[in-house]
Amino acid sequence: MPAHILFVHIVVVLVPLAALALVAAAISPRVARRMGVVLPVLALVALVCVPLTTEAGEWLERHVDDNALVERHAELGDGLLPWAFGLFVLAALVWWGARATAEGRQDAKGKGVWSGTPVRVAAMVLSVVVAAGAVVDVYRIGDSGAKAAWHDGFSKTASQGDADD
């Protein structure tokens, strides 16, 4: 079995999971504190798996017949890495901010470094945007991969052996 088929399932699970965790942590500092270092680690594992999946997909692309559906899938697959990188950067930022708040770090005015600042609001907005972009991209890539894999791989009518069941 080609490695791409295995890796793709890891990406399909981890990227949306990291996106969901990021949004939850960005919106709720309490959730971010509870997740702790798991948040950036999850996003990092998702990030590392994206190029592994892409490389395995490029190997597989060289070993199947050329067609437009496979090419489209490969083009879409190349676009996931920036989204995964954005998830990781934002996850690290949200984790650091929650950690700084928990440790009671304060700015020159005596306010918490993270809570109520424009940086936190920007992190929330960016987290929602990047998470949505990553999830939509995973969906589009997966849909195009399914079309490429199954476009002529099944019959709309049952085979003779299945008709008896």
Side-chain angles (χ1 to χ4, degrees):
M1 177 180 301
H4 180 69
I5 296 167
L6 298 173
F7 285 136
V8 77
H9 287 90
I10 297 169
V11 170
V12 165
V13 170
L14 290 185
V15 170
L17 185 61
L20 179 64
L22 172 62
V23 170
I27 291 172
S28 172
R30 186 175 67 100
V31 170
R33 285 190 300 275
R34 288 192 66 146
M35 275 197 261
V37 75
V38 170
L39 177 63
V41 169
L42 176 63
L44 179 62
V45 173
L47 173 62
V48 168
C49 287
V50 168
L52 292 175
T53 304
T54 304
E55 282 296 315
E58 288 173 0
W59 178 91
L60 183 57
E61 183 181 16
R62 291 188 300 271
H63 291 84
V64 298
D65 295 334
D66 284 340
N67 73 50
L69 294 173
V70 171
E71 289 177 23
R72 176 72 176 143
H73 175 64
E75 288 172 10
L76 288 172
D78 289 337
L80 185 57
L81 188 59
W83 291 112
F85 182 73
L87 284 175
F88 171 68
V89 168
L90 287 165
L93 176 67
V94 168
W95 167 75
W96 177 84
R99 194 169 152 251
T101 300
E103 292 174 359
R105 294 184 191 158
Q106 298 178 347
D107 62 11
K109 297 178 183 176
K111 294 183 179 179
V113 173
W114 186 249
S115 58
T117 65
V119 173
R120 181 166 177 265
V121 173
M124 282 191 288
V125 171
L126 284 172
S127 294
V128 170
V129 169
V130 170
V135 170
V136 167
D137 209 29
V138 165
Y139 172 80
R140 291 178 62 221
I141 295 164
D143 183 58
S144 70
K147 287 177 182 172
W150 292 97
H151 75 283
D152 282 333
F154 68 96
S155 173
K156 293 185 182 184
T157 59
S159 67
Q160 196 64 359
D162 290 341
D164 296 335
D165 292 338

